[in-house]
Amino acid sequence: MSKRVLLISHCFAPQNKIGAVRPTKLAKYLTRMGYQVTVLCGKDYSPVTDPLLARDLEQIPDVHRIVENSLLRRWKERKQPVAGNEKQTVISSSTTKPKPWINALYLFLADRADAAFARACKREIMRMGKRFDVVLSTYGPLSVHSVANYAKRKGYAKRWIADFRDETAMPFAWQKSRLQRYNRMVANHADQITAVSAGYLRVMGWEERGCVIYNGFDPEDMRGFSAPVKRTDKLAFIHCGQMYGAQRDLSPFFKALAALMDQGMIGKDSVALVYAGKDTSGFVSQAIKAGLETCLEGHGFMPRDESLRLQQSSHVLLLPAWNLEKRQGNIPGKLLEYMMLDMPVVCCVSGNMPDSEIAGIIRKSNIGICWEQANSQADTPRLKAYLEQVIRTFQKGEPAVFDPNREAVAGFTCEGMARKMANTIEDWT
């Protein structure tokens, strides 16, 4: 008899979030491997869905979507735009900073909504009355691991695998003791801990006992896609996704590009700095600071299939990340999407820790170039030389030089990710 898996994740298909990709792909491929997968997940506040994940959802038969009763949900759903009005092309670096009390109120409501989600999940587990061989919960928010611990403690699941697609964090210093208690709960009760990077395990203190299972890309997402024609009017660099305000920093790329423009290699009217998403102010402000405001092209928030087409029509994919002493192992899910798109990548890693995991992956797979703040003296001329090459090939009407290590790239598929998780399930059940 195949093993029964209870997968708990707030983010899940068809939510139009990068955080929904990992749990959805795990559920899809574990189901194909013969596991009986039951999913407990949340319902997004936004009506915008990801059609690619919706296609995956058709292959996952047992999904229980939890709609918690919370003030935050009522507030957020009321603020959603009318369908069809999500896109925007206005370019602006000015943002109105919310007052501190509004931030505090939002965080309080988010915490209450998370607690409500946990209570609703526990009720659903009791209502189902099923018994599982393993419960697999993938963080965040905090509630998912708390619910998984409940499932194991009450005998609904024999074993618990605690998965981390982000490192645990809380917004205020005074919450440090709560975070420590949460991490102790996971360490004491989870049978296995997995994470998307070694850095995450190291920062959380689980390097010795944890297992790294990288995110993956799914070649099936490109099924039925006809690649759009590359732009010929402008050399297009693109970033679609979160900047976390300005926490992710592409300034080194913007400065290197501006320097080449000053040298006369290419004019501003021949370059497009394309961006899309909800969190774009950091991208815009960093480009403007480098004097590149006339190159900006904004597309606002869009479904993932449209985002993929927009990226494919461009020439170079931009990826910001960080690697700090207390925040190591940042490997954005976008990196795996970029591998799937099979296009050149320019990555900028801010922070004081050299030799980041993401730099190692990019160099091993040879999908582009990675600039690190901690290695800026050596990396800055390398970045500039790389951009010179990109510019010259575009001006000649040739495709960008791109010679990836196919074997290394093939090691990052979603199916491979799920097989590693299946090995973990078998080892611990």
Side-chain angles (χ1 to χ4, degrees):
M1 182 177 178
S2 60
K3 285 189 169 63
R4 293 161 297 180
V5 178
L6 173 61
L7 190 152
I8 304 174
S9 175
H10 194 283
C11 297
F12 200 78
Q15 295 179 28
N16 197 64
K17 291 181 174 179
I18 196 68
V21 175
R22 180 178 177 88
T24 302
K25 300 300 183 181
L26 283 171
K28 168 185 169 180
Y29 281 104
L30 287 174
T31 298
R32 284 191 186 177
M33 292 174 198
Y35 290 90
Q36 297 179 40
V37 181
T38 296
V39 178
L40 274 185
C41 62
K43 180 179 182 298
D44 199 12
Y45 304 124
S46 170
V48 180
T49 60
D50 182 337
L52 303 180
L53 292 184
R55 192 167 64 189
D56 291 334
L57 189 60
E58 296 173 359
Q59 304 179 49
I60 308 167
D62 193 11
V63 177
H64 300 249
R65 204 167 301 280
I66 304 299
V67 183
E68 81 287 347
N69 182 16
S70 70
L71 289 172
L72 182 65
R73 175 168 294 282
R74 291 196 287 272
W75 177 25
K76 295 278 281 188
E77 288 182 343
R78 241 190 349 258
K79 291 176 64 179
Q80 290 305 318
V82 177
N85 291 344
E86 294 89 0
K87 294 185 179 181
Q88 61 181 25
T89 55
V90 177
I91 296 170
S92 173
S93 62
S94 61
T95 56
T96 303
K97 292 185 178 180
K99 296 178 181 179
W101 71 267
I102 294 180
N103 281 334
L105 175 61
Y106 182 87
L107 291 170
F108 172 78
L109 292 176
D111 189 62
R112 294 300 84 205
D114 195 32
F117 176 75
R119 291 192 297 271
C121 283
K122 292 173 184 178
R123 288 195 296 269
E124 183 65 11
I125 289 173
M126 287 190 291
R127 188 198 66 77
M128 288 190 298
K130 296 181 180 179
R131 295 296 184 267
F132 300 90
D133 295 290
V134 63
V135 55
L136 166 59
S137 52
T138 180
Y139 174 95
L142 296 170
S143 58
V144 295
H145 289 336
S146 299
V147 174
N149 183 41
Y150 167 86
K152 180 188 173 184
R153 184 165 48 85
K154 293 295 184 179
Y156 293 102
K158 297 176 184 177
R159 296 288 185 268
W160 170 24
I161 298 174
D163 180 59
F164 291 84
R165 54 182 175 80
D166 288 303
E167 79 273 32
T168 54
M170 291 187 184
F172 301 114
W174 56 264
Q175 293 178 305
K176 183 178 179 181
S177 60
R178 182 187 176 193
L179 181 61
Q180 290 173 336
R181 289 195 302 273
Y182 182 83
N183 286 346
R184 278 199 303 270
M185 178 272 291
V186 174
N188 291 338
H189 299 289
D191 296 283
Q192 178 61 294
I193 295 172
T194 60
V196 299
S197 72
Y200 282 178
L201 293 173
R202 187 161 49 248
V203 167
M204 293 185 291
W206 298 325
E207 188 174 14
E208 296 300 320
R209 64 168 294 189
C211 171
V212 176
I213 300 179
Y214 289 113
N215 278 320
F217 68 91
D218 192 351
E220 292 184 4
D221 283 348
M222 304 306 291
R223 190 179 65 218
F225 262 61
S226 55
V229 176
K230 292 286 182 185
R231 292 180 62 165
T232 57
D233 60 327
K234 293 184 178 183
L235 173 58
F237 300 88
I238 186 167
H239 178 261
C240 299
Q242 295 276 17
M243 291 289 287
Y244 294 94
Q247 191 173 347
R248 287 179 171 169
D249 193 0
L250 287 167
S251 297
F253 158 74
F254 292 128
K255 290 177 182 176
L257 180 61
L260 294 174
M261 289 177 174
D262 291 340
Q263 293 172 19
M265 279 209 66
I266 193 169
K268 292 182 180 179
D269 58 349
S270 298
V271 172
L273 300 174
V274 187
Y275 63 96
K278 292 179 179 178
D279 172 27
T280 58
S281 61
F283 185 95
V284 172
S285 62
Q286 291 162 19
I288 290 176
K289 190 173 181 180
L292 302 176
E293 60 271 13
T294 59
C295 301
L296 288 165
E297 292 183 8
H299 290 263
F301 184 65
M302 58 177 57
R304 194 159 67 104
D305 57 339
E306 292 182 31
S307 170
L308 291 176
R309 289 189 179 91
L310 184 65
Q311 290 172 91
Q312 284 183 304
S313 68
S314 302
H315 303 94
V316 178
L317 306 166
L318 302 176
L319 182 66
W322 61 71
N323 198 44
L324 308 166
E325 185 176 357
K326 295 185 178 180
R327 297 197 70 190
Q328 299 179 39
N330 178 232
I331 304 175
K334 272 288 174 186
L335 175 65
L336 288 308
E337 183 175 282
Y338 286 179
M339 285 182 172
M340 178 179 70
L341 290 173
D342 206 31
M343 291 171 58
V345 176
V346 170
C347 179
C348 294
V349 180
S350 58
N352 57 0
M353 295 292 291
D355 304 319
S356 60
E357 281 182 80
I358 193 169
I361 292 172
I362 290 173
R363 287 164 189 159
K364 183 178 179 180
S365 59
N366 199 36
I367 59 172
I369 188 167
C370 186
W371 177 97
E372 291 185 296
Q373 183 179 352
N375 286 318
S376 60
Q377 189 170 356
D379 284 349
T380 298
R382 290 178 57 249
L383 173 60
K384 192 174 178 181
Y386 185 85
L387 293 179
E388 283 186 42
Q389 186 182 42
V390 169
I391 290 170
R392 292 189 193 282
T393 54
F394 173 76
Q395 290 171 334
K396 293 177 182 177
E398 300 172 355
V401 175
F402 187 61
D403 185 25
N405 181 335
R406 298 292 178 188
E407 184 178 354
V409 171
F412 288 91
T413 64
C414 286
E415 184 175 6
M417 171 184 70
R419 290 196 179 281
K420 290 179 182 177
M421 188 61 77
N423 290 338
T424 302
I425 291 172
E426 298 302 324
D427 289 345
W428 288 83
T429 57

